[in-house]
Amino acid sequence: MASPPPRTDRFLLSVVFLAGVGTLGVEMVMPRLLAPFFGTSQPIWAVVIGMTLVYLAVGYWLGGQLADRRPERRLLFWLIAWAGLLTAIVPLVARPLLQLAQSSLRGIAASSFVGALVGVILLFAAPVILMATVGPFAVRLQLHQARQGVAQAGRAAGTISALSTIGSIVGTFLTVLVLIPLIGTSATIFLFAGFLVALGVIGLRDWRALLMLAGVAGLALFYYTLVPGIKTADCRGCTLIAERESSHNYIQVAEQEIRYASGTVDRRRVLILNEGQAIHSVYRLKYRQTGDPLDLLTDGGPWDYFAVAPYVYPGMRPAEVRSLALLGSAAGSVPKQFLAIYGPEMLIDAVEIDPAIIEMGRRYFDMEDQDPAYPGYTTYAQDARAWLASTSRRYDVIGMDAYHQPYIPFHLTTVEFFREVQARLNPRGVAVVNAGRPASGDDRLVNALASTMLAVFPEVYVIDTRFSNAILVGVNTPVGDGVAAFVENAAAMATLAEGEPRYRALQLVMYWALNEGRFGPVRPFTPAQARYAPFTDDRAPVERLIDDLIFNEAARRQR
């Protein structure tokens, strides 16, 4: 029977476990550091995971080489301490690169964007490589002290791999579920940096290592004393009033001043997420004083058009629009317009995956979902598709505005998803999708989504906004000539608005849809226009399509 390991080996195994916690803790911070500037899309995760695996491979090889040449405990603990100190440098060095990335992406300078992304990823190379040396180094030290030598090689390697993996699991969930939501990304980085240096100090018992711990504390103090918030507001004419990191997003709330040609200044609250490539909610503060739905309109932004989507049905009147499900409600711009136009008794089920966004919406955007005056308005903090599968209600309008730019969740773009949407619509219900275009008008994403919707809904219509977005409307029942119906309903709305002023907002947006769409008036999307095979849960290459859009825009602007 093999004798139990000596006390010193138990300490080494504890170090392996704790190093696993620190290693995955640092790795899980990496995408969060990138999120405010690059987003959290699948391609970004692929880069993060791929580069991390490269670092681990290099670290495993290097650890084996060093351990064979110098199987010394002190060297192992120096490696851990240095990994911690280098981790503490990351928040300070990353900021200039992140700012470069932000400006590059805004200008669609693809080479600078990719270069900045690689630069930020490389910031983590040294600490992750050094931490990856711990496993092979510990195996060598364990075998060096084991009485049976190579006879225990398998047991030693298996035990160390298991402990390192368990530590990595703890580090993953501790970072994602506790530390980042509780203290934020930068503080989490400094915490793990201090933790790794302290682990090295315990093993070394050397005063020089204590200086490294003081160095981590000094870097953290410098960062929080001299470095402002994560970044400035990601929109023109905006002043940042709040920012927050959640388990899903980096969130900004800003106040924006729009100055019209008449000299009037319009103050607005805007919600910006992650890399800042889109505004996700707008609230015109003037509405607090007037209560007029016209003062909620955003000059033809995509939120304005959800309320007019049902009017492709012949003879549609506002009294028929009594319920809305909005998937991707953000801070509640669309529900606020529906309540103002159609009345406070409307049934509205809003779905937003990030509870922090809901909280910010209630605090800064006057969301009504907890106001007793709006008893039918409920917000659910869930994934949109999971929520849709759980509800048994049917709706007059199901809106989809969960397509965060530049990338969008693939599972909300497929035939299977739209079938679930259709199953929850009333007979004269509509599915409404906010689809983005680049400024050039490249409509490939719009066409792909419309092609997929056309595989489910009997008819699909395109409403171009005054900006570059397109609103896609899928009807649950064939309408015949939906454009003619929209024109007739717009004329009827002008009469209705004379007796009911709140309908003036519908009248104005319908006018925009017929006369001021940036790429044309309301029109049907026909099978002859479909250029893409419908997306499915098995194959929805939406990220590749958007990558092509980004790089084509880059090439166009650099010509």
Side-chain angles (χ1 to χ4, degrees):
M1 180 180 293
S3 59
R7 186 177 183 85
T8 53
D9 288 344
R10 291 196 181 108
F11 175 68
L12 180 63
L13 295 178
S14 299
V15 169
V16 169
F17 169 80
L18 294 174
V21 173
T23 301
L24 257 293
V26 171
E27 291 174 20
M28 293 309 297
V29 167
M30 193 187 308
R32 297 300 302 170
L33 191 66
L34 297 175
F37 301 88
F38 294 97
T40 56
S41 65
Q42 193 172 27
I44 297 300
W45 271 102
V47 172
V48 169
I49 293 171
M51 294 301 295
T52 298
L53 292 174
V54 170
Y55 304 153
L56 292 175
V58 173
Y60 295 150
W61 176 85
L62 181 62
Q65 296 290 319
L66 291 175
D68 283 342
R69 294 179 184 177
R70 292 179 57 190
E72 304 167 7
R73 285 175 173 268
R74 290 182 60 81
L75 178 56
L76 172 62
F77 289 111
W78 275 116
L79 291 172
I80 295 173
W82 273 106
L85 183 61
L86 290 172
T87 298
I89 297 174
V90 169
L92 288 89
V93 179
R95 180 167 295 276
L97 287 172
L98 292 170
Q99 291 172 341
L100 173 62
Q102 181 181 18
S103 61
S104 299
L105 185 56
R106 280 177 176 166
I108 318 292
S111 59
S112 299
F113 168 72
V114 174
L117 174 59
V118 172
V120 173
I121 296 294
L122 289 177
L123 287 171
F124 288 88
V128 175
I129 288 172
L130 290 178
M131 290 306 301
T133 65
V134 172
F137 216 113
V139 171
R140 182 65 177 85
L141 293 177
Q142 190 83 328
L143 293 178
H144 185 69
Q145 295 185 6
R147 296 179 182 177
Q148 290 87 352
V150 72
Q152 282 193 338
R155 181 184 302 177
T159 300
I160 287 170
S161 295
L163 285 172
S164 178
T165 301
I166 293 171
S168 297
I169 294 170
V170 172
T172 298
F173 288 107
L174 177 67
T175 303
V176 173
L177 300 181
V178 179
L179 293 179
I180 290 176
L182 188 63
I183 63 176
T185 300
S186 298
T188 300
I189 294 174
F190 285 119
L191 180 63
F192 276 116
F195 169 74
L196 293 174
V197 173
L199 188 59
V201 169
I202 293 171
L204 289 167
R205 299 180 183 179
D206 189 319
W207 66 269
R208 292 174 295 177
L210 287 174
L211 291 178
M212 298 177 75
L213 192 59
V216 172
L219 289 170
L221 180 63
F222 175 81
Y223 180 86
Y224 286 108
T225 301
L226 299 180
V227 177
I230 296 175
K231 62 176 181 176
T232 57
D234 272 325
C235 58
R236 292 181 180 178
C238 289
T239 301
L240 185 68
I241 61 174
E243 63 178 346
R244 178 173 174 181
E245 290 179 286
S246 72
S247 57
H248 295 276
N249 295 288
Y250 164 68
I251 306 166
Q252 288 186 331
V253 176
E255 286 204 356
Q256 184 181 40
E257 291 190 352
I258 302 295
R259 189 174 297 275
Y260 295 106
S262 62
T264 304
V265 175
D266 186 42
R267 291 178 56 244
R268 306 178 177 195
R269 292 267 172 87
V270 296
L271 176 74
I272 310 159
L273 302 179
N274 299 317
E275 66 272 36
Q277 289 303 295
I279 290 176
H280 296 268
S281 289
V282 175
Y283 178 32
R284 295 178 63 194
L285 299 179
K286 182 180 181 181
Y287 179 74
R288 286 176 171 173
Q289 284 74 47
T290 68
D292 186 345
L294 283 171
D295 292 329
L296 286 177
L297 298 182
T298 59
D299 301 320
W303 310 275
D304 299 344
Y305 294 82
F306 282 77
V308 303
Y311 296 95
V312 293
Y313 281 103
M316 176 63 69
R317 295 296 179 264
E320 295 184 61
V321 182
R322 305 312 310 144
S323 56
L324 163 72
L326 185 63
L327 311 182
S329 61
S333 293
V334 172
K336 189 180 293 292
Q337 290 192 8
F338 269 75
L339 291 169
I341 293 170
Y342 292 112
E345 68 282 357
M346 268 206 77
L347 170 66
I348 297 181
D349 286 333
V351 186
E352 171 53 54
I353 194 171
D354 193 340
I357 292 178
I358 298 172
E359 182 182 334
M360 300 284 262
R362 291 168 180 159
R363 182 174 180 182
Y364 295 101
F365 292 80
D366 296 346
M367 271 178 56
E368 301 90 342
D369 64 328
Q370 293 185 330
D371 188 335
Y374 304 92
Y377 183 10
T378 306
T379 303
Y380 300 87
Q382 292 181 237
D383 174 82
R385 187 162 174 182
W387 176 86
L388 188 65
S390 69
T391 187
S392 59
R393 286 176 170 170
R394 292 180 180 271
Y395 302 89
D396 298 315
V397 180
I398 298 181
M400 285 140 278
D401 197 19
Y403 299 159
H404 295 177
Q405 300 297 321
Y407 296 98
I408 61 181
F410 89 92
H411 66 296
L412 303 182
T413 68
T414 66
V415 166
E416 292 86 348
F417 167 68
F418 287 118
R419 284 175 181 159
E420 293 179 35
V421 170
Q422 185 184 42
R424 301 267 64 85
L425 285 174
N426 287 324
R428 276 167 60 98
V430 290
V432 189
V433 173
N434 174 19
R437 287 192 190 94
S440 66
D442 190 327
D443 73 338
R444 282 179 290 172
L445 178 60
V446 173
N447 191 282
L449 292 173
S451 300
T452 303
M453 292 177 68
L454 198 58
V456 175
F457 300 100
E459 296 170 14
V460 174
Y461 292 87
V462 180
I463 302 177
D464 279 310
T465 71
R466 300 176 84 194
F467 302 143
S468 59
N469 298 61
I471 303 299
L472 303 177
V473 181
V475 298
N476 198 24
T477 303
V479 301
D481 190 341
V483 174
F486 196 90
V487 171
E488 292 174 1
N489 288 328
M493 194 64 65
T495 302
L496 289 173
E498 292 177 2
E500 188 60 75
R502 59 180 171 160
Y503 296 151
R504 290 182 299 171
L506 293 175
Q507 179 189 0
L508 178 58
V509 177
M510 294 176 81
Y511 173 84
W512 288 341
L514 290 169
N515 299 281
E516 296 187 7
R518 182 172 177 185
F519 298 101
V522 179
R523 59 193 179 278
F525 183 85
T526 65
Q529 294 173 298
R531 304 196 305 270
Y532 291 87
F535 288 172
T536 66
D537 284 351
D538 182 62
R539 186 175 184 276
V542 64
E543 290 90 1
R544 180 178 178 182
L545 176 58
I546 294 173
D547 284 338
D548 286 344
L549 291 175
I550 290 173
F551 284 102
N552 283 352
E553 284 295 292
R556 185 185 67 83
R557 294 194 181 192
Q558 292 174 352
R559 282 198 294 267

